[in-house]
Amino acid sequence: MAEQTIDPIHQFHIDRIFEWHPFGIDASFTNASLFMLIIVLLAALLMIAGTSSRSLVPGRLQSAAEMTYEFVANTVHLSAGHDGMRFFPFVFSLFLFVLFSNLIGLVPYTFTVTSQIIVTFALAGFVISLVIVYGLFRHGLHFLKLFAPSGVSIFLAPFLILIEIISFLSRPISLSVRLFANMLAGHITLKVMGGFVAALLGAGAYAVIAPLPLLMVVILTAFELLVALLQAYVFAILTCVYLNDAIHPGH
Amino acid sequence: MAKEENDDDLRGRLDSLSTALDAQQKASQERNAVTGQTEEAGRSLAKAMNLGFRVLTEFVAAIGVGGLIGWKLDDWLKTSPLFLIVFLAIGTAAGFWSVYRIASQPTGGPGGSR
């Protein structure tokens, strides 16, 4: 038990709950899958329960649901324009998934799904694939104008196009790494600070200064709450910005 | 006679009540100003940290992608380390370009379109 409280990485360990290996692929139901299921159920519950009463004067749950809806709708409308609203369901689901997984991760003894880079990379890869597929579907080869800056001399153009392509390819990586790194670093810091409290309490006379890291844990928890909200928002707004490129590829 | 006394009494109570109310209002305003300031400071700190982190990840990711492309090209064409160097340079340029694009955005909303 003492080992567990000191090891800050243990919280990210994936345990298989049900073993399942169809065709040699490890598709076991893990604690990560369990928490994804919980996230989806909670998000669905908030929306279904929040919109079921439909009263003119909203209650707590209904106003939470309505505020989330309006917030995301405004974000999409502002950064992707009127045409971007067709992607609203996608961005809204993405935002809710990231938000709930960040928030649930703050509860002790839970598993933070977004602290696994494969999860955030899958989300970001899905966003970028959607941008490419929709851009090509809607604009055909005109979509490739995205990579060609206008008004550049012909000698400089290949170089700039290469730069634009690399900059485009780095988007899913920066999008996923940002969310993953924020959640991972925050949770490790919290755990290390919590470990300090336990270690100081067991260190005889030094137990006097044990409240200091405890205070730090309290402050950091509030900060992590802010980070959790902010990162979900940033993920959603950058998705909108990238989708905007697919909708209006010209500069 | 009794009625006038009652009026005086009432007026006195009203005065004391309004001064108390004024004091209360002033105190709550001050309190709001202080918490508003700290809230504002916290929000701007979070915004600044967020922007810094965005710049960092964009920059590093562009260099990483450039390096990866160069490495794989070298692996494939057996020209090590020509393409690694070239694409690292291009990736760095792309990183600067991304950072420039973030910095040159109008300050209206975080991450508006270009």
Side-chain angles (χ1 to χ4, degrees):
Chain A
M1 205 54 208
E3 284 292 313
Q4 268 186 24
T5 49
I6 302 301
D7 182 11
I9 306 294
H10 182 264
Q11 56 181 325
F12 305 116
H13 193 256
I14 290 186
D15 302 311
R16 291 182 181 80
I17 299 175
F18 301 118
E19 296 273 352
W20 193 42
H21 299 269
F23 311 114
I25 301 165
D26 189 359
S28 309
F29 190 82
T30 62
N31 53 353
S33 334
L34 176 68
F35 274 98
M36 281 185 217
L37 212 61
I38 292 175
I39 288 160
V40 171
L41 285 180
L42 275 182
L45 196 72
L46 170 72
M47 283 303 137
I48 292 168
T51 51
S52 61
S53 64
R54 286 191 206 156
S55 51
L56 201 58
V57 180
R60 253 176 251 169
L61 209 60
Q62 192 186 342
S63 53
E66 283 176 357
M67 271 164 68
T68 324
Y69 176 90
E70 278 173 9
F71 177 70
V72 180
N74 277 334
T75 308
V76 176
H77 203 100
L78 275 177
S79 50
H82 186 67
D83 284 343
M85 284 309 275
R86 72 183 59 183
F87 288 110
F88 171 74
F90 173 65
V91 179
F92 190 59
S93 326
L94 210 57
F95 174 75
L96 274 189
F97 183 82
V98 175
L99 181 70
F100 270 84
S101 79
N102 289 354
L103 287 182
I104 287 173
L106 283 177
V107 179
Y109 296 107
T110 54
F111 182 84
T112 321
V113 180
T114 40
S115 66
Q116 303 290 320
I117 192 160
I118 190 65
V119 174
T120 60
F121 190 75
L123 293 177
F126 187 45
V127 169
I128 292 297
S129 317
L130 185 71
V131 166
I132 295 173
V133 168
Y134 181 76
L136 286 176
F137 169 71
R138 171 129 178 224
H139 298 282
L141 290 179
H142 284 288
F143 174 63
L144 297 180
K145 263 192 194 158
L146 180 67
F147 301 118
S150 53
V152 190
S153 72
I154 201 124
F155 303 106
L156 217 55
F159 182 63
L160 281 178
I161 289 172
L162 214 54
I163 286 182
E164 283 282 354
I165 289 174
I166 290 181
S167 160
F168 185 83
L169 287 178
S170 72
R171 278 172 177 187
I173 296 175
S174 70
L175 192 61
S176 55
V177 165
R178 184 169 32 243
L179 179 58
F180 148 77
N182 265 296
M183 298 327 287
L184 186 82
H187 280 83
I188 288 182
T189 320
L190 274 182
K191 199 80 174 199
V192 167
M193 284 291 166
F196 282 168
V197 180
L200 280 173
L201 279 180
Y206 290 112
V208 184
I209 55 170
L212 287 177
L214 184 67
L215 187 72
M216 202 62 205
V217 169
V218 174
I219 295 171
L220 275 176
T221 307
F223 188 70
E224 277 306 299
L225 192 65
L226 190 73
V227 168
L229 294 170
L230 204 67
Q231 286 306 315
Y233 171 65
V234 166
F235 201 90
I237 199 167
L238 283 178
T239 303
C240 293
V241 170
Y242 298 160
L243 284 171
N244 185 39
D245 278 347
I247 299 164
H248 317 283
H251 284 261
Chain B
M1 262 337 225
K3 202 182 172 196
E4 239 166 59
E5 228 168 65
N6 230 350
D7 272 1
D8 278 348
D9 193 29
L10 206 61
R11 199 163 296 131
R13 274 168 63 190
L14 265 176
D15 281 348
S16 73
L17 188 64
S18 64
T19 46
L21 265 176
D22 279 349
Q24 183 91 29
Q25 219 162 24
K26 216 182 230 171
S28 86
Q29 262 173 7
E30 274 164 14
R31 210 178 313 131
N32 273 351
V34 169
T35 52
Q37 265 172 7
T38 49
E39 255 172 40
E40 191 61 39
R43 209 171 296 142
S44 67
L45 173 74
K47 255 188 187 164
M49 273 192 63
N50 176 37
L51 185 66
F53 213 80
R54 223 187 121 189
V55 167
L56 173 77
T57 47
E58 297 257 349
F59 192 63
V60 173
I63 296 177
V65 168
L68 194 72
I69 292 175
W71 180 49
K72 276 288 137 195
L73 271 181
D74 272 345
D75 221 30
W76 184 41
L77 299 171
K78 307 260 183 284
T79 50
S80 174
L82 174 71
F83 280 110
L84 181 62
I85 295 169
V86 171
F87 272 88
L88 263 181
I90 294 174
T92 313
F96 277 118
W97 178 230
S98 310
V99 172
Y100 170 73
R101 215 156 41 199
I102 294 173
S104 66
Q105 268 159 14
T107 43
S113 74
R114 318 189 183 162

